[in-house]
Amino acid sequence: MSDLFQSAGLESDAPRPLADRLRPQSLEEVVGQDHVLGPDSPLGRMLAQGRLSSIILWGPPGVGKTTIARLLAEASGLEFHPLSAVFSGVADLKKAFEQARGRRAAGKGTLLFVDEIHRFNRAQQDGFLPVVEEGVVTLVGATTENPSFELNAALLSRCQVLVLKRLDEGALGLLLQRAEAAEGHELPLSPEAREALIAMADGDGRYLLNLAEEVLRLEPEAPLSTPELGKFLQRRAPVYDKDREEHYNLISALHKSVRGSDPDAALYWLARMLGAGEDPLFLARRIVRMANEDIGLADPTAIHAALAAKETYDFLGSPEGELALAQAVVHLACAPKSNAVYMAWKAAQRLAGETGSLMPPAHILNAPTRLMKDQGYGKGYEYDHDAPGGVSGQDYFPGAMKDRPRLYEPKDSGREAAIAERLARWRAMREKRRG
């Protein structure tokens, strides 16, 4: 494809950002993605065999999705046809398919690159199926969202999903070296500031090169220190969308850190979510759930701490109220753990669904009328407070139920250890009484 500048031969003279000038010219120059581009990787094997299947490139911004697609087209001898799902509609897709059929008739294949493919709706995604199935195009879709949630199952079955990683420090450092070589001089940064610059990019190579370009324009008299660098540049905002996958990934990390009794990791994930703009009341609700699901009666104060944190946040707001959430998270992470009540409740729900409308045993039914007394309601009931030890040992399950299930099995953790001892005595009394 060409544009006005290319046609006029002026493209090489037009100003271009450093990130664009440093785009890799071969797949070997792509950094940080050897797991999908190396000789033994999926793409490496495809190219070695002279074939290229339709693929979905899934990864965060600035890791090379567009560049890889362009270079795959060159390596495969395919015409590179880019589209953006943000700016394209059904008419654009139909035109692209028609052009691809025309190339195919002339013996030329097409690599159709669709950026942000998850933004196409389900019906639009279905439009790719016949042209991919027939081989009219080799589809390379790029997405920052989890394809399992955002793409049709039918489309996914025709494409291989390749996960691209955020760039690590080594890959980002190599990009800085290339930038310095292209500009002919080193970045005016102290070693510590250079590390801070890499951290500011948060794994985004394009953003790092944009930062480097700003630094190269500064021309300070002496290398900048980390605080001086911070005056000129801003850290990249964390990748986070409160209704997308990263939201669920981070809340899962927080919940499992609490469950795993690691207060340090739990505080880290809490800070990550609050720093990214998560709704504190969403976090408060999840903290309450953690107290019920993972701690339960091993520490009955946990639920009170969780609810108190929510009330404190309502009273103080942000940022003061966030400390209450942090305190609750640490309390829960350090508390003894038990999911016994959680598991018992799920078992009780299953049992209730399986047994239908069985009546309670007659002896525990109230009998406010003569008819009910004549039917045996309340007959033989023993008032537990009058029994030795406060427990009569009567049977409270429906008489028609053959087995007496044990739904709640307390753990040997925290206060549940004492509960387990009491229940063992009481269950033994009931079993003895039933004979």
Side-chain angles (χ1 to χ4, degrees):
M1 297 181 67
S2 64
D3 57 25
L4 180 62
F5 295 103
Q6 289 174 319
S7 300
L10 299 176
E11 186 192 37
S12 60
D13 297 325
R16 296 166 61 200
L18 179 62
D20 187 49
R21 286 185 279 129
L22 290 181
R23 281 186 182 275
Q25 299 304 304
S26 69
L27 289 169
E28 290 74 22
E29 293 181 13
V30 176
V31 300
Q33 309 300 339
D34 290 344
H35 62 292
V36 296
L37 295 173
D40 295 327
S41 68
L43 286 177
R45 289 192 294 270
M46 287 184 198
L47 294 175
Q49 296 168 6
R51 62 179 181 85
L52 182 64
S53 303
S54 292
I55 59 174
I56 303 295
L57 298 175
W58 171 29
V63 298
K65 295 187 290 293
T66 303
T67 296
I68 290 173
R70 175 177 57 81
L71 295 175
L72 285 174
E74 294 178 6
S76 304
L78 302 174
E79 180 75 18
F80 183 64
H81 189 129
L83 284 178
S84 170
V86 177
F87 302 110
S88 303
V90 174
D92 301 290
L93 289 177
K94 288 182 177 179
K95 182 178 179 181
F97 298 157
E98 290 171 3
Q99 292 174 344
R101 287 191 175 92
R103 293 190 198 99
R104 190 185 191 192
K108 179 75 172 179
T110 300
L111 187 151
L112 179 62
F113 173 66
V114 182
D115 196 19
E116 303 290 339
I117 191 171
H118 63 274
R119 293 184 181 272
F120 278 135
N121 61 37
R122 301 288 175 172
Q124 290 169 321
Q125 290 178 30
D126 283 342
F128 290 105
L129 301 181
V131 292
V132 171
E133 189 78 27
E134 297 167 15
V136 175
V137 301
T138 297
L139 175 65
V140 177
T143 179
T144 56
E145 302 296 337
N146 190 328
S148 300
F149 302 143
E150 303 297 333
L151 300 184
N152 286 355
L155 183 58
L156 285 177
S157 72
R158 291 162 173 81
C159 301
Q160 185 172 353
V161 177
L162 301 179
V163 181
L164 302 185
K165 300 176 181 178
R166 66 188 297 277
L167 301 185
D168 59 20
E169 291 184 10
L172 293 172
L174 181 56
L175 289 181
L176 287 186
Q177 293 174 19
R178 292 180 182 176
E180 291 169 328
E183 295 298 306
H185 59 90
E186 294 184 358
L187 290 163
L189 299 173
S190 69
E192 294 78 14
R194 190 182 184 90
E195 292 178 3
L197 182 70
I198 289 174
M200 284 180 178
D202 193 26
D204 186 328
R206 180 171 50 242
Y207 189 71
L208 176 71
L209 292 175
N210 291 339
L211 293 178
E213 191 167 21
E214 292 299 315
V215 171
L216 289 166
R217 290 174 180 169
L218 294 175
E219 299 182 354
E221 296 180 359
L224 297 175
S225 65
T226 301
E228 291 169 335
L229 178 66
K231 294 179 182 178
F232 296 104
L233 301 178
Q234 293 295 319
R235 177 181 292 271
R236 177 185 180 278
V239 177
Y240 192 81
D241 192 331
K242 288 187 282 184
D243 65 352
R244 298 289 182 175
E245 190 203 10
E246 194 67 14
H247 161 83
Y248 298 105
N249 287 345
L250 266 60
I251 193 61
S252 175
L254 172 60
H255 194 148
K256 290 184 171 101
S257 297
V258 168
R259 181 182 295 157
S261 302
D262 190 335
D264 302 316
L267 283 173
Y268 169 76
W269 295 117
L270 177 68
R272 279 277 302 271
M273 297 189 79
L274 287 171
E278 183 57 77
D279 180 3
L281 292 180
F282 164 77
L283 291 167
R285 289 192 293 271
R286 286 301 295 248
I287 291 169
V288 170
R289 177 181 173 180
M290 294 172 203
N292 280 323
E293 180 178 334
D294 295 296
I295 297 167
L297 292 178
D299 179 2
T301 67
I303 184 63
H304 300 296
L307 291 171
K310 184 265 182 187
E311 293 298 320
T312 302
Y313 184 85
D314 280 343
F315 183 60
L316 293 179
S318 183
E320 292 86 352
E322 293 169 3
L323 180 59
L325 299 179
Q327 180 171 311
V329 162
V330 172
H331 182 135
L332 270 57
C334 296
K337 304 297 187 297
S338 173
N339 68 342
V341 173
Y342 175 69
M343 299 303 293
W345 173 238
K346 293 204 298 184
Q349 289 177 305
R350 287 194 301 271
L351 184 63
E354 293 167 358
T355 54
S357 304
L358 294 179
M359 281 289 291
H363 66 272
I364 64 171
L365 301 178
N366 292 329
T369 68
R370 165 72 67 178
L371 175 62
M372 296 171 76
K373 289 181 180 179
D374 291 343
Q375 294 295 317
Y377 281 34
K379 184 178 181 180
Y381 174 67
E382 299 177 18
Y383 190 54
D384 286 88
H385 292 291
D386 292 339
V391 178
S392 66
Q394 293 176 105
D395 187 12
Y396 298 98
F397 274 105
M401 188 179 290
K402 295 181 179 180
D403 299 318
R404 299 297 180 264
R406 291 193 178 186
L407 304 179
Y408 175 49
E409 293 285 358
K411 303 288 184 70
D412 186 19
S413 176
R415 297 191 183 185
E416 275 199 324
I419 294 174
E421 293 179 4
R422 290 197 298 271
L423 285 182
R425 294 198 307 271
W426 296 339
R427 284 168 173 165
M429 290 175 57
R430 291 192 184 96
E431 290 172 2
K432 182 179 180 179
R433 180 160 178 164
R434 285 198 302 270

